[in-house]
Each structure stands twice: as C-alpha cells, then as structure tokens.
Amino acid sequence: MPATLQGTGRTAAQAVMDRLRQIEIGAVTTHERVAIFPIFAAAGGGVSALEYRTLAEALADGSVRVAEREQASVPELVLQNTGTTMVLILDGEEIVGGRQNRVVNASFLVPAHMTTPLPVTCVEHGRWHDTSPVFSSGEASNMSMRSMKHAQVTASLRTSGRHLSDQGAIWDSVAHTSDLNRTSSPSGAMHDVYRSRASDISSYQQAFPYVAGALGLLVALNGQVVGADLFDQARTAEQVWPKLVRSYALDALTGEPGAAIEREDAERLLEAARNARYEVFPSLALGEDVRFESDAVIGGGLVYQDL
C-alpha cells in the first residue's frame, strides 16, 4: 500500500497515519475479476502543492536520464535529474533498456540537478547486454511481486540500511508469472508477459478509467482486497492510474473468481493500515521512507518533510 505525501513538521510515521485518516473511498466499479474503489480526500483532508514530475514524464522529455553504472551492476543504476523540478520515482516502476530491464526498489523523490544511485531489481533474467544505452519507462510490477519485494526491501533496511531485494526470488516470481500466463520470453522478461497478455489486460484498462479527483485506488482481485495506492495529489494519481490498473489486472487474469467485494472489506484494509506498526528509514534522496506492517497488512509511504 504505497503512498506519497507532504510532511508538515510532524514525524514521518504520524504523517502517514494522519493521511490514512483523511481519505474516503468512493463507489466500487467491477469488471470480471477486478473491483476498484477510487480514493478521495475527505472533507478538510486537502492535497499537497508539491511541484514534481513523474519518472515517465521526465524520461520522455529527456530531463531525467537513467543508465548503467560505469561498472555495470545488477542491483544499481544511476539516475541524473537535469531538469528544474523534482522527480517522483515509484516503487515497482519498470525501466526498460540497458543491459537488462529493472524495477525500482522503493519510492524516491529526487531534487532538480541531482545525480543519484538508484536501487533496482532485475526482471529479465536471461539478458546481460545493451539494447540501448539509456532506459525508458515500462510497466509496473504486478501486485504479487510488488508485495513480496516490499517485504524483502524492508528486511534489508532493518539489517543493512540499504534498499535491496532478494534477486533470486524476484526472478522466480517472474518465471512463475510467465508460466501462469503460458507465455514465453527468450530473456525471461516481465515486460514480455505484459506484451503477450496485452489484449486481455486492455479490457480492464478500458473498464477502469481514471476517476476525476481521485488520489488513488483500492483494489480487490478475485474476491479479495489485495492493496491500494495513494498519492498526495490527483495529477499524480491520474498519471500512473493506467499503469497500476494493468499491474493489478495481470494478477487477476490467472486467479480463480471469488465473491463480490463490499465497502466494509475495503474499509478493513485501511483500518488495518492505520493501526499497524510503523518504522522510519532514511530515503535515498528527499524525505523519509516509512514502512508499516501488521498481521493483516504491509505497506509504506514516502514522506517529504518541508524544511
């Protein structure tokens, strides 16, 4: 349950808890095996006025460049923001190219004119040669992989302070997803699974257009609430909404249909997040990386603290 929000002098953990109390869910829309509740700011909840761009926007216009390190390394790339605004990179975003496709290990907010290492995980097991010198925006990790990777990175932050995942487990997850979808990729690429199921996924994307004013979405797959994505402003939610819908749809395609989802089911996920145990770690660039977990939920949020 990732989130991005703006701090206002409170502790980072309190900022996340407060944010989760300042939202409300809208009417559910259902299509085949997916049900989506849009998330809105509650009365008085407000949205932030931070000025930043998404990674996809910045990569497209060339104001951000992602490339291999001088000595190429699987778990780390280099991101250079030459633009005049901050750039938001989301946990699970895929970047395609270089020596192999990767996904980002956590959400980061990178200031203008900054070059920084970018912790990533490979999602293309069978390639280690250049297809292009720089990376472009791809898809997003499907929910099952994103949840697993989140737990791995949290464990790494506790023990080493680094945003590292279990690379072998992620490769296994990509292979399992490929097998479930009966797809074949010469290089074992997650991107190829998305391409092979594009026509099936497109029906979900058409069924779930962005809902005006929404700050995020709460999603159920095959009769079970599985996650939510919440942002500090509607513009960000609108930008990433289609990619997130596709990421949830990929998991839904291979599951067994379940019972209908009620609003109470969605509310229980939010309540579990509000009452979870919180930990705070330094972020790679701006803000703080907040992680939370309980017996019912795991999640996190990137909190940028105004100074």
Side-chain angles (χ1 to χ4, degrees):
M1 187 173 184
T4 58
L5 56 149
Q6 183 177 11
T8 57
R10 301 157 295 180
T11 67
Q14 188 63 51
V16 173
M17 288 186 282
D18 287 352
R19 187 64 165 177
L20 291 172
R21 295 186 181 99
Q22 295 168 353
I23 57 174
E24 57 187 24
I25 60 172
V28 66
T29 299
T30 302
H31 174 69
E32 294 184 356
R33 298 175 177 182
V34 176
I36 291 181
F37 296 84
I39 303 173
F40 300 96
V47 297
S48 87
L50 284 178
E51 293 186 12
Y52 60 82
R53 308 183 71 204
T54 63
L55 178 62
E57 290 177 298
L59 285 171
D61 70 14
S63 59
V64 158
R65 182 178 186 270
V66 177
E68 301 284 356
R69 294 175 51 189
E70 185 174 346
Q71 298 295 322
S73 169
V74 172
E76 189 173 271
L77 298 171
V78 176
L79 182 143
Q80 182 180 26
N81 181 8
T82 60
T84 58
T85 60
M86 298 181 291
V87 172
L88 176 66
I89 301 107
L90 296 178
D91 183 10
E93 276 196 275
E94 182 190 33
I95 40 181
V96 175
R99 293 197 170 190
Q100 53 190 192
N101 300 346
R102 318 303 215 281
V103 292
V104 182
N105 282 357
S107 295
F108 303 108
L109 186 62
V110 179
H113 310 299
M114 179 180 183
T115 298
T116 179
L118 185 65
V120 291
T121 301
C122 172
V123 285
E124 188 178 14
H125 192 188
R127 178 170 70 90
W128 187 243
H129 61 269
D130 283 326
T131 58
S132 67
V134 296
F135 289 82
S136 59
S137 179
E139 294 288 347
S141 304
N142 54 311
M143 185 60 195
S144 55
M145 181 195 296
R146 190 153 50 116
S147 177
M148 178 177 67
K149 183 172 65 61
H150 176 90
Q152 294 167 358
V153 172
T154 300
S156 176
L157 285 169
R158 288 172 182 155
T159 58
S160 70
R162 301 178 66 193
H163 292 82
L164 298 177
S165 69
D166 181 337
Q167 180 61 77
I170 298 301
W171 278 332
D172 288 346
S173 177
V174 174
H176 181 62
T177 300
S178 181
D179 289 344
L180 287 176
N181 285 278
R182 299 179 180 178
T183 62
S184 176
S185 168
S187 59
M190 180 185 80
H191 201 69
D192 288 342
V193 182
Y194 274 97
R195 286 195 291 197
S196 71
R197 300 303 305 267
S199 60
D200 299 309
I201 291 173
S202 67
S203 69
Y204 288 91
Q205 189 168 335
Q206 293 168 12
F208 298 110
Y210 172 70
V211 180
L215 298 178
L217 65 168
L218 188 150
V219 183
L221 306 181
N222 301 309
Q224 181 177 359
V225 176
V226 296
D229 295 270
L230 172 65
F231 303 94
D232 64 323
Q233 50 193 261
R235 180 185 181 279
T236 308
E238 184 175 12
Q239 285 283 323
V240 302
W241 186 283
K243 187 179 294 188
L244 290 173
V245 169
R246 293 195 297 272
S247 74
Y248 284 105
L250 185 62
D251 276 339
L253 291 173
T254 56
E256 294 296 329
I261 292 295
E262 303 295 336
R263 177 180 292 271
E264 291 76 13
D265 300 314
E267 292 286 1
R268 275 194 289 271
L269 179 71
L270 295 180
E271 187 63 21
R274 294 176 187 123
N275 295 314
R277 301 178 296 275
Y278 282 74
E279 298 174 89
V280 180
F281 302 93
S283 185
L284 186 71
L286 297 173
E288 295 171 284
D289 187 335
V290 179
R291 306 263 161 164
F292 59 82
E293 67 177 60
S294 71
D295 293 338
V297 67
I298 64 169
L302 174 64
V303 176
Y304 175 55
Q305 185 77 43
D306 281 341
L307 298 178

